Amino acid sequence: MEYKKKVQQLIVDLKTNYLLSVSIDCVIFGFHAGQLKVLLLRWKETDDWCLPGGRILHEENMDEAAHRSLRERTGLHEIFLQQFHTFGDVLRYKNFSQQETLLKLGLPDDALHEFINRDVSVGYYALVEFAEVTPTPDFFTDECRWWDVDQIPLLLFDHNDMIVLALKTLRRQLTYQPIGYNLLPDKFTMPDLQQLYETILGQSLDRRNFQKRMLGYGILERLEERKTGGAHKAPYLYRFNKENYEKALADEILFVG
Amino acid sequence: MEYKKKVQQLIVDLKTNYLLSVSIDCVIFGFHAGQLKVLLLRWKETDDWCLPGGRILHEENMDEAAHRSLRERTGLHEIFLQQFHTFGDVLRYKNFSQQETLLKLGLPDDALHEFINRDVSVGYYALVEFAEVTPTPDFFTDECRWWDVDQIPLLLFDHNDMIVLALKTLRRQLTYQPIGYNLLPDKFTMPDLQQLYETILGQSLDRRNFQKRMLGYGILERLEERKTGGAHKAPYLYRFNKENYEKALADEILFVG
DNA sequence: CCAAAAGTGTTGGAATTACACCCATGC
DNA sequence: GCATGGGTGTAATTCCAACACTTTTGG
């Protein structure tokens, strides 16, 4: 069988070209229609969803491996990517019927230990611009799509835990670093930015105070243009001042919270 | 040669019983005489120092592996231990002459790739009570001792980077979580606690404001006793209220900063 | 009795929160 | 013209930082 052969080949490839015992999992956050979203993959022939992941080549930095995996799943090149935790429990492989999966992949039972080892997995989270992503499944999956962060189903392995912790880390980061450069389009309105913050934090903020605060950090440039087409008063458009934005990222000032 | 044989045995042991490609490094902080200290190991027959580390057994949770390593190096059982970053650059193995090391260990050149692989390393930091530690070298080292955190020499691998980042993480943690339970003896004075904070933060704090703040969090219990024997006015002794302390740890309130 | 450390409260300023009115646009 | 959302400033409060005097103890 052609397919079976390909899987065997893949396993050999994994064993020879990649670091053993370590994998990478990515929580890719996007923002659309007032909702924070996460990109998930569905395993072939199943209803089982999981996070996109990858492995590390022998001569490759771990961060580069994460970027590479992300590129493959989203088509994006320059993305904000950050390690948030490394998961090393033996029991990570819950919610997963190995037998069943092997069956579906058309593999013999004894391929089991070749296929799913006990790995340590390094969790990264990424912030990407929703509209620019082209979700792309990999060899083992046949669907890749966005899920609302508050409607995630039961995932394979410990991937639900990963999303929870990634979100927690993101919220914390929001309190000492600016966020938005990687989640919003180039030009955006103040209400857009506020909605992003509110969505991530899960609470509403005062419009006027929020604006004062954001402008106070000097990371925003107001453009001459306004956003037209809305049913109401046209809001100004803003753009991030990349230089000051980077400076704020480095300084780790207290932001919101 | 007896020694050589033992090394070969160790390598076999590593390859069969432990996860490949993943290691653990621990930055163990202690506090003594107004100084923050880190526990370092010196490689046999060299002046090369490095952090204590370990590896993960196949059926062992990563956190347990870290605890086990720590137990072996310090003799301590219940320690505060926290993962802070995972280091995955290919160039982690700087400041390290493999040739030289193999020579000193009395191993042939071709043992090189068996011995030092390119690993991903998970960094943990620990907070321990200085007085209760019994520093213990391992097989590859013949000295284990405390170093002042601001007098660390050039270490093997990327271990200097690890200490810097561990300290940075510790300082950040100090701003949203209480610290002290694992670094101070059971009973301590307010000036003791303040000195700890000042040492970690690297800055002096106002005595009165500090006390107000700490008492405000309700994590301290003042005892009837006072610390006698000092040349001056006897300060009160305090003890952490474990329950409230744990609650504060979980709540992640804003503390100092 | 003097030096050195510890105990304790108050006050002023800065930062944060709360809050209200006017303006533009599409229907 | 009206409903909806966007733009803007001020007053009240809270939080934090600065600060000084008294007490105890050993020498």
Side-chain angles (χ1 to χ4, degrees), chain B:
Chain B
M1 191 207 224
E2 189 56 34
Y3 177 76
K4 207 162 159 181
K5 207 166 182 181
K6 200 160 177 189
V7 174
Q8 300 283 15
Q9 244 171 17
L10 258 175
I11 291 179
V12 172
D13 176 46
L14 278 178
K15 288 173 85 166
T16 51
N17 296 328
Y18 294 83
L19 292 194
L20 299 165
S21 313
V22 200
S23 63
I24 286 176
D25 285 297
C26 297
V27 182
I28 307 176
F29 290 112
F31 179 65
H32 183 66
Q35 263 292 334
L36 198 63
K37 314 239 176 199
V38 175
L39 204 60
L40 296 179
L41 292 166
R42 187 169 56 69
W43 277 61
K44 267 178 177 155
E45 316 281 326
T46 72
D47 282 322
D48 298 336
W49 293 82
C50 69
L51 290 172
R55 302 193 76 86
I56 307 166
L57 291 162
H58 283 298
E59 298 294 323
E60 184 182 43
N61 288 339
M62 184 171 70
D63 286 354
E64 280 166 21
H67 272 103
R68 181 171 48 76
S69 305
L70 231 69
R71 233 175 2 250
E72 290 165 8
R73 256 356 92 237
T74 63
L76 293 182
H77 285 256
E78 305 258 326
I79 28 194
F80 178 88
L81 188 59
Q82 186 155 311
Q83 182 195 130
F84 67 94
H85 191 77
T86 298
F87 297 82
D89 277 7
V90 173
L91 290 177
R92 296 210 309 117
Y93 297 91
K94 55 193 180 189
N95 312 333
F96 184 70
S97 165
Q98 302 188 324
Q99 223 70 18
E100 208 179 311
T101 303
L102 289 174
L103 256 167
K104 278 170 185 159
L105 289 168
L107 289 170
D109 275 17
D110 59 0
L112 200 143
H113 65 282
E114 307 244 345
F115 191 62
I116 296 282
N117 293 308
R118 176 266 167 114
D119 282 343
V120 164
S121 181
V122 181
Y124 280 81
Y125 72 89
L127 305 177
V128 304
E129 200 176 318
F130 183 86
E132 301 202 349
V133 172
T134 316
T136 314
D138 60 19
F139 180 77
F140 291 108
T141 55
D142 48 25
E143 194 178 352
C144 179
R145 72 167 176 88
W146 292 105
W147 287 74
D148 281 1
V149 81
D150 49 12
Q151 283 172 30
I152 307 282
L154 183 66
L155 304 177
L156 293 175
F157 318 125
D158 54 353
H159 289 186
N160 290 89
D161 301 338
M162 287 188 184
I163 294 179
V164 167
L165 191 58
L167 192 54
K168 188 176 169 186
T169 310
L170 175 58
R171 284 189 177 140
R172 157 139 315 143
Q173 192 195 328
L174 207 59
T175 67
Y176 58 84
Q177 288 189 335
I179 269 186
Y181 185 74
N182 310 275
L183 283 165
L184 293 171
D186 186 47
K187 298 172 184 178
F188 52 89
T189 68
M190 192 59 76
D192 288 341
L193 184 63
Q194 182 174 348
Q195 196 184 36
L196 172 63
Y197 270 73
E198 288 179 341
T199 304
I200 294 177
L201 290 172
Q203 62 181 261
S204 56
L205 302 167
D206 183 273
R207 211 155 49 88
R208 294 153 285 197
N209 294 336
F210 180 80
Q211 175 155 163
K212 255 178 291 177
R213 202 161 201 164
M214 287 300 138
L215 293 178
Y217 294 118
I219 57 170
L220 295 176
E221 285 168 10
R222 181 190 278 190
L223 306 176
E224 291 305 311
E225 310 169 67
R226 284 160 176 264
K227 182 180 185 176
T228 57
H232 313 292
K233 181 170 183 177
Y236 288 102
L237 284 171
Y238 291 83
R239 174 192 299 163
F240 285 109
N241 177 316
K242 191 74 192 297
E243 191 183 335
N244 291 351
Y245 189 93
E246 294 293 339
K247 193 140 31 104
L249 271 182
D251 285 359
E252 307 201 350
I253 297 164
L254 188 72
F255 249 63
V256 182

Side-chain angles (χ1 to χ4, degrees), chain A residues 89-109:
Chain A
D89 277 6
V90 174
L91 290 178
R92 297 210 310 116
Y93 297 92
K94 55 195 179 186
N95 311 334
F96 183 69
S97 165
Q98 303 187 324
Q99 222 70 17
E100 207 179 310
T101 303
L102 289 174
L103 255 169
K104 278 170 185 161
L105 289 167
L107 290 170
D109 275 16

